[in-house]
Amino acid sequence: VRFGRVEVRLLPGDVPNPISVNFGDRMALVGYDLSKRAVRPGDTITLTLYWQGLRRMDANYTVSAQLVDAGQRKAAQQDGWPLNGAAPTTAWQPGQMLADLYRLAVFQDAPPGVYDVRVAVYVLEDGQIVHLSVIPEGGRMLFNHQVLTRVRVVPSGNGE
């Protein structure tokens, strides 16, 4: 059965792919948008993360966006303060919303396969990376990252 073309529009105030991921009771990931689901080595994916401050923060947290396969091999990564440093987390107000853009350049030598799009939040303390834990509902085990979706890396010459 064909229904024809369907156009999906966001309502004012909505964010794409709404989710609710609590990072350390400090910040919540409330949505995300991804520019591509299939890429070739050397391509760039644009990932927009939609954050909400949950409380005042006394540390400037770094956000890490990564593509990681089942063997824990990375195909892309970008780390940085929100908005390329223009919106450090110590300046966030509780309830404040922020759209934060990451450009993930797929490594030239990334093998074909399926990769998780992961997000982690951390701070450096005494030269060590200390992650904000993802606090799931229902008291399950805590994690140091959140998987948002998956992308496929296809051999050169076969991508979108």
Side-chain angles (χ1 to χ4, degrees):
V1 174
R2 295 187 90 168
F3 292 103
R5 184 178 169 160
V6 175
E7 186 174 342
V8 178
R9 294 183 183 187
L10 293 177
L11 297 174
D14 282 355
V15 296
N17 301 300
I19 56 177
S20 180
V21 182
N22 180 330
F23 283 88
D25 279 333
R26 290 173 179 82
M27 53 200 288
L29 185 60
V30 297
Y32 68 93
D33 194 23
L34 189 66
S35 63
K36 299 179 185 179
R37 301 277 180 174
V39 294
R40 295 183 296 262
D43 285 352
T44 298
I45 297 173
T46 302
L47 174 65
T48 304
L49 302 174
Y50 295 88
W51 295 104
Q52 182 175 29
L54 297 177
R55 65 172 60 182
R56 299 274 307 154
M57 292 178 255
D58 57 1
N60 285 315
Y61 291 97
T62 299
V63 175
S64 180
Q66 309 168 357
L67 301 182
V68 181
D69 73 5
Q72 302 306 307
R73 292 175 299 216
K74 290 181 187 171
Q77 180 171 350
Q78 183 185 355
D79 290 20
W81 285 3
L83 296 179
N84 289 320
T89 56
T90 55
W92 291 15
Q93 299 297 317
Q96 178 183 357
M97 298 284 291
L98 177 77
D100 188 20
L101 186 82
Y102 292 83
R103 288 182 178 83
L104 298 171
V106 179
F107 302 152
Q108 290 288 349
D109 61 351
V114 176
Y115 290 80
D116 289 338
V117 178
R118 288 186 182 178
V119 174
V121 178
Y122 66 89
V123 66
L124 288 176
E125 290 182 2
D126 299 323
Q128 299 292 316
I129 292 176
V130 178
H131 286 93
L132 279 183
S133 294
V134 173
I135 302 173
E137 294 179 11
R140 297 180 312 223
M141 189 169 126
L142 300 179
F143 298 98
N144 66 5
H145 69 272
Q146 176 68 38
V147 174
L148 301 179
T149 189
R150 292 192 172 115
V151 298
R152 181 174 298 280
V153 174
V154 296
S156 293
N158 298 331
E160 294 182 331

